[in-house]
């Protein structure tokens, strides 16, 4: 099974909410990558 999720956020509160939503996937062995950008930052969830 393959999975690739991209999410965008603008402030730290949104980042915390997204990380909480993706916690089960991270515990299941997927990788979380946070990339800073302007004006949006991105979180990528990919399979290890």
């Amino acid at each position: 099974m393959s999975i690739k999720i991209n999410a965008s956020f603008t402030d730290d509160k949104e980042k915390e909410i997204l990380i909480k939503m993706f916690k089960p996937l991270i515990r299941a062995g997927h990788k979380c990558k946070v990339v800073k950008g302007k004006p949006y930052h991105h979180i990528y969830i990919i399979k290890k």
Side-chain angles (χ1 to χ4, degrees), residues 2-5 7-11 14-15 17 22 29 32 34-35 44-45:
S2 65
I3 184 170
K4 184 176 181 181
I5 299 172
S8 300
F9 64 95
T10 55
D11 60 19
E14 290 177 347
K15 177 183 174 184
I17 293 168
F22 297 140
C32 176
V34 178
V35 177
Y44 298 99
I45 305 292

Side-chain angles (χ1 to χ4, degrees), residues 3-48:
I3 184 170
K4 184 176 181 181
I5 299 172
N6 302 331
S8 300
F9 64 95
T10 55
D11 60 19
D12 288 335
K13 287 184 180 183
E14 290 177 347
K15 177 183 174 184
E16 291 174 19
I17 293 168
L18 289 169
I19 293 292
K20 285 181 185 178
M21 285 175 41
F22 297 140
K23 199 89 103 164
L25 292 172
I26 295 168
R27 276 190 243 132
H30 292 79
K31 181 180 171 187
C32 176
K33 181 178 177 184
V34 178
V35 177
K36 303 269 183 183
K38 288 236 178 202
Y40 299 105
H41 306 295
H42 302 282
I43 294 178
Y44 298 99
I45 305 292
I46 54 175
K47 189 173 183 180
K48 282 187 179 181

